[in-house]
Amino acid sequence: MHLGCKTPQDVMAAISEHGIEMVDIKFTDLFGQWQHFSIPVEHFDAESAFEEGLGFDGSSIRGFKTIESSDMNLLADPTTALIDTMCAVPTLSLVCNVYEPITNEPFSRDPRYVAQRAVEYMKSTGIADTVYMGPEAEFFIFDEVYYHTNQFSAGYGVDSGEGIWNSGAPGLGHQIGYKGGYFPVAPYDTLQDLRTEMVREMLNAGIEVEVHHHEVATAGQCEIDMRFAPLVQMADQVQLYKYIVKNVAKRHGKTATFMPKPLFQDNGSGMHTHQSLWKNGEPLFAGDGYAGLSQLALWYIGGLLKHINSLLAFAAPTTNSYRRLVPGYEAPVVIAYSARNRSAACRIPVYSQSPKAKRIEFRCPDPAANPYLAFAAMLMAGLDGIKNQIDPGDPAEIDLFEEDALKRVPMVKGSLGEVLTELEKDHEFLLEGGVFTEDLIETYISHKRVADVDAVRLRPHPHEFVMYYGI
């Protein structure tokens, strides 16, 4: 339950009012994983939590510190206070920012701080005072999963009663075919009640939810759409959204994953991100240009498209992301913009002609992204487009996956290694206003090359045994 706190005093009053027994302290590592520790309420001190800082070992957190300078502090944001209904005892949850202990300066690699800096930079330009983000995070719910890898073997498997591969076994039928999962009613959609429970938990936690439904793929692909919110608030909500989805699934003996492409030859999970700029309560993306866009919005698109490959290092940050970003699966691999055309990287929804509804949908991100870094990077690219009046070119009004069209349009890079190289070459726009730092970008790239790219590149793939064992 979201508590509506604004001050530390509000938090302490809520602890007393709701009989809280534990206080859970949460923060996000450089690569998007929520981290936490819990304090018995008897030892929870408001001065430490909100003013002095709660200490932890930064050398044990990915992308933070080395062992010789490991001490770090967390300061809690009272506005994030909520009762964590995933816990067995009454537990109050607080999201924190990370600080240096000696200088009391914000830690430059703290993803939440990067997002806050991006918003402050936007305000300093005078272009806008508010940026709204509306991500559509898709996920799979499986009945079971297994996976392993070592020096001499590797393998994985997932299963779902909805999966079309189970149609050959005795049962009740009504399996969902490949790419056949968009909007079927029960008994095909077996997850209605489970998604509804997730939605009710989200609403109780203060997340505004607009709709939920089955998604295109077979075997439990789902989507729950949050109402748009300011950038930092939405990044906080994405972390909470994923936490609720995974834990409600576990509550029912199922497993949920935000892995972009768990199934071969079926649709993957994206996180299409709707975004718009506002100033003094007025929308800035509505105008009399293409699809009802303003010139400012077109320049914003120009920035996204110019920097798209370096953006993907944050927005599609896993090797598995590039199993999804391939033609033929509604994946936005074409560097173009269009109204209604879902194969373009940028789409302009035209469901409503209200100026307040006018927005840009950037379709490349996936839910493996760290939302703080991904949203901040998208905003910085859009602002660069506005500042430099970057022309996005002509809109694409054709089927971009037709063979002739594919020969005429540029495509995004096809691997994590390639987009990390693009980020090395193209990141000056991220450094504006001290939003990102060279240190953060270098640390991010170095870690991703070793822990992600090389970890997959150097291992034999199970399918290579099918192809090559007998040669």
Side-chain angles (χ1 to χ4, degrees):
M1 180 176 69
H2 193 264
L3 298 171
C5 297
K6 296 182 179 179
T7 67
Q9 292 75 25
D10 292 339
V11 174
M12 299 310 291
I15 287 174
S16 177
E17 177 185 350
H18 294 280
I20 297 299
E21 297 181 24
M22 300 294 294
V23 178
D24 200 54
I25 303 299
K26 295 183 174 75
F27 64 100
T28 300
D29 73 15
L30 185 60
F31 306 99
Q33 183 66 49
W34 239 5
Q35 310 287 338
H36 84 126
F37 58 86
S38 299
I39 304 171
V41 70
E42 293 86 351
H43 295 286
F44 179 72
D45 178 67
E47 187 173 357
S48 296
F50 298 108
E51 297 177 24
E52 295 179 357
L54 300 165
F56 72 101
D57 176 9
S59 68
S60 296
I61 303 299
R62 297 182 305 166
F64 273 20
K65 288 284 189 173
T66 50
I67 196 166
E68 73 277 3
S69 58
S70 60
D71 287 353
M72 307 196 78
N73 278 339
L74 296 171
L75 287 178
D77 181 345
T79 66
T80 66
L82 58 87
I83 296 176
D84 189 339
T85 57
M86 301 300 119
C87 298
V89 303
T91 300
L92 182 136
S93 171
L94 289 166
V95 174
C96 300
N97 278 42
V98 186
Y99 284 78
E100 299 280 5
I102 298 175
T103 64
N104 291 321
E105 292 292 320
F107 180 44
S108 64
R109 293 186 214 160
D110 173 16
R112 194 168 192 261
Y113 176 64
V114 172
Q116 291 166 333
R117 287 287 301 160
V119 174
E120 290 304 312
Y121 171 70
M122 173 193 67
K123 293 178 180 178
S124 75
T125 66
I127 293 171
D129 56 35
T130 306
V131 54
Y132 289 113
M133 293 285 172
E136 301 173 359
E138 298 167 342
F139 54 94
F140 280 85
I141 298 173
F142 294 121
D143 294 334
E144 58 183 23
V145 59
Y146 71 86
Y147 48 88
H148 78 279
T149 180
N150 52 46
Q151 285 84 354
F152 59 89
S153 68
Y156 74 90
V158 295
D159 201 9
S160 165
E162 288 187 354
I164 188 62
W165 55 84
N166 282 315
S167 63
L172 300 178
H174 300 105
Q175 276 79 23
I176 294 173
Y178 294 112
K179 299 189 184 183
Y182 194 63
F183 284 14
V185 298
Y188 291 99
D189 180 2
T190 66
L191 300 168
Q192 168 73 17
D193 293 337
L194 185 56
R195 288 196 308 272
T196 294
E197 184 175 334
M198 292 171 178
V199 168
R200 298 315 308 181
E201 290 282 8
M202 291 177 190
L203 291 168
N204 289 336
I207 299 175
E208 289 192 66
V209 175
E210 295 185 324
V211 66
H212 76 78
H213 58 85
H214 205 287
E215 257 298 342
V216 172
T218 184
Q221 191 182 33
C222 299
E223 181 176 315
I224 299 172
D225 287 345
M226 296 176 281
R227 181 173 174 81
F228 64 88
L231 187 150
V232 177
Q233 178 186 340
M234 179 52 76
D236 288 342
Q237 289 183 181
V238 169
Q239 297 294 76
L240 181 57
Y241 173 106
K242 294 172 75 171
Y243 177 73
I244 289 172
V245 165
K246 291 176 182 178
N247 281 284
V248 171
K250 184 175 183 291
R251 182 187 291 170
H252 290 270
K254 295 183 183 292
T255 176
T257 180
F258 290 88
M259 183 177 178
K261 188 79 168 184
L263 296 180
F264 176 54
Q265 290 187 332
D266 206 344
N267 281 37
S269 292
M271 189 174 71
H272 308 155
T273 303
H274 299 252
Q275 44 206 288
S276 63
L277 299 182
W278 292 58
K279 188 173 184 178
N280 298 324
E282 295 297 324
L284 300 181
F285 278 6
D288 56 6
Y290 173 76
L293 292 179
S294 65
Q295 181 61 64
L296 181 140
L298 290 168
W299 287 333
Y300 189 101
I301 292 173
L304 290 176
L305 297 183
K306 176 182 178 181
H307 300 296
I308 189 168
N309 284 307
S310 56
L311 285 181
L312 288 179
F314 294 113
T318 70
T319 58
N320 187 252
S321 299
Y322 300 87
R323 314 288 193 236
R324 166 184 170 255
L325 289 175
V326 294
Y329 298 90
E330 297 186 24
V333 294
V334 179
I335 303 176
Y337 71 101
S338 176
R340 298 184 290 181
N341 195 327
R342 295 172 188 266
S343 50
C346 282
R347 190 177 76 91
I348 302 91
V350 291
Y351 301 118
S352 170
Q353 297 308 307
S354 168
K356 293 183 177 181
K358 192 55 61 179
R359 61 198 187 276
I360 292 164
E361 179 190 11
F362 188 49
R363 296 176 58 83
C364 296
D366 67 51
N370 181 333
Y372 299 102
L373 299 183
F375 295 165
M378 285 182 256
L379 173 61
M380 295 300 289
L383 292 175
D384 185 64
I386 294 169
K387 287 172 56 183
N388 293 293
Q389 299 186 5
I390 297 173
D391 183 1
D394 295 328
E397 296 293 350
I398 58 175
D399 181 352
L400 294 173
F401 289 143
E402 289 182 354
E403 184 176 352
D404 289 342
L406 287 174
K407 297 176 182 178
R408 303 195 303 269
V409 295
M411 311 280 279
V412 299
K413 299 295 183 181
S415 71
L416 179 59
E418 289 177 287
V419 300
L420 290 172
T421 297
E422 292 300 311
L423 179 60
E424 285 177 323
K425 296 188 295 186
D426 175 31
H427 62 256
E428 290 297 321
F429 69 100
L430 296 172
L431 305 178
E432 293 292 327
V435 176
F436 288 75
T437 64
E438 289 280 6
D439 173 64
L440 183 154
I441 292 170
E442 289 172 4
T443 300
Y444 185 90
I445 292 172
S446 176
H447 186 281
K448 281 287 182 182
R449 286 204 184 281
V450 174
D452 291 58
V453 175
D454 285 351
V456 172
R457 181 177 63 87
L458 298 177
R459 281 178 167 82
H461 189 283
H463 197 66
E464 288 180 312
F465 280 82
V466 175
M467 296 188 294
Y468 307 131
Y469 187 80
I471 61 176

